[in-house]
Amino acid sequence: MKTIQITVAPSGETKVETSGFSGSECREASQFLEAALGTKRSEKLTAEFYAGQLQSENQTQREG
């Protein structure tokens, strides 16, 4: 199941977390939220992000 979770701290700082997405799909899905919330201060990529990249690289190698 694909989800996007937004956490707003009492200080007003926000955190956007995605799960269930593969590779850069998470960035595409949350891009509109990040733009609406302001400047990104940091980004922490999860294993799901890298798993999607590995799948994409493996497909490219097989096709070539």
Side-chain angles (χ1 to χ4, degrees):
M1 176 167 154
K2 296 178 181 181
T3 60
I4 300 175
Q5 179 178 351
I6 303 167
T7 305
V8 181
S11 65
E13 185 175 345
T14 57
K15 181 178 179 181
V16 177
E17 293 180 80
T18 60
S19 64
F21 294 91
S22 153
S24 62
E25 196 178 48
C26 59
R27 285 181 171 159
E28 295 168 14
S30 63
Q31 185 178 16
F32 76 99
L33 292 168
E34 291 174 4
L37 294 171
T39 305
K40 183 189 308 186
R41 292 188 183 196
S42 67
E43 180 177 55
K44 182 179 175 184
L45 302 174
T46 65
E48 290 175 323
F49 177 84
Y50 295 108
Q53 283 189 328
L54 289 174
Q55 287 175 349
S56 178
E57 287 176 15
N58 287 339
Q59 263 186 337
T60 302
Q61 288 175 355
R62 288 179 194 162
E63 293 171 0

